[in-house]
Structure formats: C-alpha cells, structure tokens
Amino acid sequence: MKLARKEWKGNPVSRGIAIAKVFLYEPLSFRVEKTSIPGEFVSEELDRFYGALSKAGEQLQKLYDDLCTEHPQQAKIFAAHQEILEDEELLEEVETAINQECMGAESAVEQVFDQFAQILAQVEEPLIAGRSADIIDVKKRILCILMGKKEKRLDQFEEDVIIVAHDLLPSDTATLDRNHVKGIITEVGGTNSHCAILARSFSIPAILGVDGITGELQDGWNAILDAMEGRVLCGYEEDEARVYEERRIQFDKRWQEEQAYLCKPGMTKDGVKVDIGMNIGSDHFQSEDDAYEYIGLFRSEFLYMEGEHLPTEDEQFTVYKNVLEKAQGKTVTLRTLDIGGDKTLPYMELPREDNPFLGMRALRLCFLHPDIFKTQLRAALRASVYGKLQIMFPMVGSMEDIYLAKAMVREVKAELEQEGYAYDEEIKLGIMIEIPSIALISDLAAKEVDFASIGSNDLTQYLCAADRMNAQTEGYYQSYSPAMLRILRFVFHSFASQKKTVSVCGEMAGNPKSAAILVGLGARKLSMNYASIPAVKAELAKMTIDEMEDMANHCMVLTTEEEIKRYVDM
Ligand code: PEP
Ligand code: MG
C-alpha cells in the first residue's frame, strides 16, 4: 500500500539534501533496578565500578585518538568525557552510595549521574546546560560495561540511511558511519547543539527540532530530507523525488567544486587578494593548514566558560602559548574576555540587570574587575613571545574605552618588566567594532588603535535594536539593511585612510553572498569558521573587484533589506 504524502518542518542546521531510507534510532535503554548489596560485597562492588571506569576510559581514549587528527574539535567531546570520568565530586558520590548506602554499582551510577545531569540542565547558560547530555552519555557508557550490554552503534551501515532520533548523544554523532549516513533528523536540539556542530563539520545535512517525528514514521520508509528549506517528506510521488534528486546532485556538485578552493588563496576573479582568517574557541583547531592565513578571532571566553573556576594566569598562558605555537607564525587575534549578555560563568555572580546585552558586558565587566582583566593581559603578554599575537577588546563603545584599555595594557607591561618577564613590545592592540557609537567615530578610533575587527553579529543587534537571541525580533535583526551597509562602508574607509587593517569576524564574513558585498564595500580581510572557508573562497573567485563594487554600490541605493537580499539573490 502506498503511503499518503506527509511533510514535517524543522530547523535546518547543516545544509544539503538527502534521499534515503529512514533508520529510526532508539538508543539502548535499560531499566536499572534499584538494588542493594550485602555489606560484605561493598569492596567487590567498588572494584566493579572502578573496573568499568577504566574500561570506559580506554574506549574514550580510542575514540579520541581516532578523531583527533582529522576532527580535533570533535575529539574534544571525548576528552571532555574523560574529564567526567575523573570528576572527583561525582566519583566520591558514587563511592558513598555504594559504601554507605550499600547500593549496587549500576544503581549508584544511575542515581548520582542523573542528579548531576539534572543540576547542570537547569543552568541557563546553554553551553553548561549542554554538558548534562555529556554526563548522560558517559553514564550510559559505564552502565553498558557494568551490565555487559553491547552498544547500539551508528558506525556501520550496509546501505544509505537518514537517521531519525529523538536526540543524538555526542558520541553517537561523532562515530557516525559517514559513508552511509546521508542525513540526520532529530526532535530536539538547536543550531549550536553538539549534534548540529558535528553534522556541519562532517557536512551531513541535518534538520533538528522536528517535534514528534519519531512517533510518526517507521524504519525503512523512504524519505527526503531538504536541509535547505527545513523539510522532511515521506509518501512523495516519483516526480517529486526526481526534482529533489536533481537538486541533491546540484548541491553535491557545488560542494565538491567548493572544496577545491579550501587551500587556495582568497582572491577575486581578477586577482585582488582577500585574506581569509579562521575563528577559533580553544587551542584545538586545524593547524598546519593553508586554508586560512590568520586567526581573526580567538573567543577566549570559552576558556572561562568550560572550567569550574576562573582560569589562572598560568592556565591561560599555557593555552595561549599552545595556540601561538600551533598557528606557526600566523597572526592570532586574541579577543579578551567577552562575558555577560547571553554568556555567563557558573562560578561567578554577575550583576543582575534588566537588559544584560546593554549592561556590564565584556570590556565593561573587565573594567569592573581589573584583577580578572589584568590576569588575562599578563597571560597574553607573557605568551606573546611564542608567536604573532595581537590583542583585541570587545564591546568598545567610545574613545574613553580605548584609552582605558590601553592604559591597563601599559600598566601590565610595566609590572611584567619589573618582574623580569619577556613580552612582545610591539604587540598590536585593536578593537571589535560592534557598537554603533564606535563605528560612527571609526575615523577617530582608527588613529588610536592598530587594527579593528567588525563583529557584525552584535553590530546588527545594536544598530537595529533587535535582540540577536530573540526569534520574535528576527525580522528586525537586519544584517543587510541599508543602515548596516552604510556603517560598514564608513568603517572600511576610515581604517583604510589610516592605513590600518580591518577584518570582519561576525557571521556575515562566512556567508558567501555577504562576503562578496563586504569586499565590494572595501573589506580585504574576512575571518570565519573553518567549514565556511571553501564556499566563501569559491564565491569570491567568481567575480571581479569591479563587479563586487558595482554590486555593493547598487545595494547602497536600495531602500530595504528585502530589496538588497533579492538583488544579491540571498
Ligand atoms: C560578533 O558580535 O559579530 C562577534 C564576532 O562576536 P560574538 O558573536 O562572539 O559576540
Ligand atoms: Mg560580539
């Protein structure tokens, strides 16, 4: 019997099209009965628990080793899982449950890991809350070992599949059979969830947030996943399948062609050079790579958000030194702590504010806590002798901000000198341009700083007065509004006339169409996530500089974002 046509909508987080059979994934579920053990077996039970921990450690090490060369960012998930296995508080709680409450190892693990996961899930900060999934993932691994169950795996398929699941754990996604998994659909998960990040880095089309889909389709059904439009189809006609197959072939062909650009220099069709940079969030990144020429944004706040306390000067120094050594002489732009707004620290109480994005965020918070700021500056300056470091301040709104930040760098330099530490005396200091009040005086700012980078994500939110996190204001958040293009052009020209460099490191730089507009407006440096590099280089190579300038000039005379987007075919 033929299925009736059915369509679902979701959030496309990794672009592409897939046509394949559904593989409905229900991860291994086990009922862990609450068991108690006679007192004399406690030490045996503890041995079982620690035996399982060490086996889990071995499995995780293997997963890490298999991924670390090609996919260092993904390998990090398993390094984080290993840290969970070493979490003293967690282990002590399990031990106490076995020792004092005479619980069986399985029930102790189930109870304690669930408690920890629940506490984390309640934290508002998405990155911390996301760790709750890691704890559950590690719990399942330990329970599998204790109960002698074989993991249900997604790493080997005989035919092409689209995986449909309620959610995928980080380890499910990282070990996917990349030859046969053609698409991913889940009921939960946002654009920046582990699953979305992994799907993008493996270039597997994915749609997340398709509510209730696991209950509505069955294993083996034929499905179309359109992760351009965010659609899933079953029970479709042959004609429709042919249209999608054609689109899939076109998409894959373009993707293949773009990959050929990965290691070519960024350049317009007529040879005008555009430096392509990479954005990073830690010292795990693709090094020894011709794909990028500089690190345009090192979001140092991740270092602060991942730990359980403020990173010490030495801890920071080690990470910054690692980054510089791995960058092998390429310029590294370290952005100082950008916390506040949507980013919080679990161990540090920030002032309660009605409008945190307009409050004590980033540099303002650093001025409020000079000890934290100076610790970071000390670590950065000490590391600066190991490569080519430049320091960039976020959320700069005025010349006063620049004067004060520079004065604090001078203070720290003097302290280091007195203490006999070496640092790069010529280190460049720059600013993020992400508040209109500094963008509009960038002619003045350009005289005072060595370089700048445009944070188009925040610049859009502050220019348009539209919260970048609020789905309801999405229509007001217009990165391609005529106002935005005018302000961008002014910033490029201001810095060019002072012969100072200006880069763009917000999402606009990584979108091929807007990259071409930015170059037409005057940009010659664009920094983006690694995965965006091929498509941007391919797009730039299609047009001459005159064509890009004409396109930008035409955009400047259009009156709405909608017209601009239509004109550039976005
Ligand atoms: C930006 O605002 O564009 C930017 C690059 O910084 P973040 O997204 O980290 O705020
Ligand atoms: Mg920003």
Side-chain angles (χ1 to χ4, degrees), residues 304 310 316 337 348 366 369-377:
Y304 291 70
L310 281 169
Q316 293 187 54
L337 184 59
M348 185 176 157
C366 286
H369 296 280
D371 46 334
I372 296 179
F373 193 34
K374 282 170 74 175
T375 303
Q376 181 170 38
L377 293 174

Side-chain angles (χ1 to χ4, degrees), residues 219-283:
D219 235 1
W221 281 8
N222 291 317
I224 293 174
L225 176 153
D226 173 2
M228 315 292 279
E229 304 278 337
R231 256 194 269 175
V232 180
L233 295 173
C234 281
Y236 43 82
E237 298 293 335
E238 275 302 303
D239 287 358
E240 205 167 7
R242 266 196 296 277
V243 171
Y244 273 102
E245 180 59 12
E246 189 50 40
R247 278 194 210 161
R248 188 191 66 74
I249 292 169
Q250 290 300 334
F251 180 87
D252 290 353
K253 188 164 160 257
R254 198 168 64 235
W255 190 88
Q256 284 298 346
E257 285 164 4
E258 287 168 359
Q259 292 312 301
Y261 285 87
L262 178 68
C263 292
K264 290 188 179 168
M267 195 168 279
T268 63
K269 192 173 169 186
D270 53 338
V272 174
K273 184 93 176 50
V274 180
D275 289 347
I276 300 295
M278 176 168 70
N279 296 350
I280 60 170
S282 73
D283 54 354

Side-chain angles (χ1 to χ4, degrees), residues 279-336:
N279 296 350
I280 60 170
S282 73
D283 54 354
H284 294 267
F285 60 91
Q286 291 83 346
S287 57
E288 295 173 30
D289 203 316
D290 294 332
Y292 61 97
E293 285 165 89
Y294 67 109
I295 292 176
L297 175 63
F298 171 15
R299 289 182 162 102
S300 69
E301 59 274 13
F302 286 104
L303 194 64
Y304 291 70
M305 288 158 75
E306 279 165 5
E308 272 145 27
H309 57 84
L310 281 169
T312 63
E313 180 180 324
D314 282 343
E315 283 167 350
Q316 293 187 54
F317 167 78
T318 307
V319 175
Y320 302 158
K321 177 171 173 272
N322 274 348
V323 169
L324 286 164
E325 286 176 348
K326 283 180 77 174
Q328 302 189 348
K330 289 176 184 161
T331 298
V332 174
T333 315
L334 174 80
R335 177 173 77 182
T336 59

Side-chain angles (χ1 to χ4, degrees), residues 335-341 343 353 355-367 392-402 405 430-438 453 455 458-459 461-462 468:
R335 177 173 77 182
T336 59
L337 184 59
D338 185 2
I339 215 78
K343 299 178 199 145
E353 298 171 302
N355 293 302
F357 272 112
L358 302 180
M360 298 307 285
R361 189 189 153 186
L363 189 61
R364 297 174 183 178
L365 199 70
C366 286
F367 288 155
M392 176 161 75
F393 306 112
M395 268 296 273
V396 169
S398 65
M399 295 302 285
E400 289 96 317
D401 283 349
I402 299 177
I431 54 170
M432 293 280 291
I433 303 262
E434 48 188 355
I435 302 184
S437 59
I438 198 73
S453 186
D458 276 316
L459 185 56
Q461 108 164 321
Y462 294 129
R468 67 191 263 195

Side-chain angles (χ1 to χ4, degrees), residues 129-149:
R131 274 214 226 128
S132 145
D134 291 311
I135 295 204
I136 296 296
D137 202 342
V138 173
K139 177 191 86 170
K140 289 198 168 159
R141 184 174 300 282
I142 300 173
L143 287 178
C144 273
I145 297 168
L146 282 170
M147 297 165 91
K149 296 208 181 210

